Amino acid sequence: MLGAATRRGALLLAALTAAGAVRAAAAGPRIEVWRDPGCGCCGAWARHMRQAGFEVVVHEVEDVAPVKRANGVPEALWSCHTAIVAGYVVEGHVPAADVRRLLAERPPARGLAVPGMPPSAPGMDIPGTPYDVLLFGGSGGGDRVFARH
């Protein structure tokens, strides 16, 4: 028969395990970001994603171009950082809501991109400039507008 101390220890272990499982379930999708360590807007975009509930893992690299090439991002769509979430590429300052929509709809594509650095995109945060989020690498070829902001 278990002693009182052993039972308390077992109950504590079970409670801690359950709490960890709840925290893990509550965490949003994991998104890995490759960025230049000196780029402030990339850090601001990562904060935007964290605030939206994503688990953000940042990899600081001196040259992000090899990551872009390895993940099939066309040069015309390049921005300052590249991310991967659930098998999709997220290039540049894509809003968190668009990434959530991508994950919900799961279209047959490589990912989403906001080419360049539009001033009003998340992480840039200077309102007033419209921009498009593009879905790229789809089975039909070509890029299409996924969202307009």
Side-chain angles (χ1 to χ4, degrees), residues 8 19 27 29 57 60 62 66 77 101 111 121-122 125-126 128 136 143:
R8 279 192 302 272
V57 177
E60 293 187 343
E62 293 300 319
L77 302 182
R101 178 180 156 211
D125 304 320
I126 302 169
F136 70 94
D143 308 326

Side-chain angles (χ1 to χ4, degrees), residues 32-139:
E32 294 196 49
V33 183
W34 283 264
R35 61 167 275 208
D36 181 291
C39 183
C41 67
C42 295
W45 183 80
R47 279 191 301 281
H48 163 76
M49 296 303 285
R50 278 189 191 99
Q51 290 168 349
F54 285 84
E55 176 192 347
V56 180
V57 177
V58 175
H59 305 279
E60 293 187 343
V61 294
E62 293 300 319
D63 185 6
V64 185
V67 176
K68 296 173 188 312
R69 285 188 192 99
N71 286 287
V73 180
E75 283 191 42
L77 302 182
W78 283 14
S79 183
C80 55
H81 58 269
T82 302
I84 304 293
V85 61
Y88 285 105
V89 179
V90 178
E91 179 67 17
H93 293 266
V94 176
D98 293 341
V99 176
R100 287 212 181 273
R101 178 180 156 211
L102 174 77
L103 297 177
E105 294 178 5
R106 308 278 315 159
R110 182 157 314 271
L112 296 177
V114 172
M117 298 167 67
S120 57
M124 301 298 288
D125 304 320
I126 302 169
T129 305
Y131 66 95
D132 292 334
V133 176
L134 303 176
L135 183 72
F136 70 94
S139 56

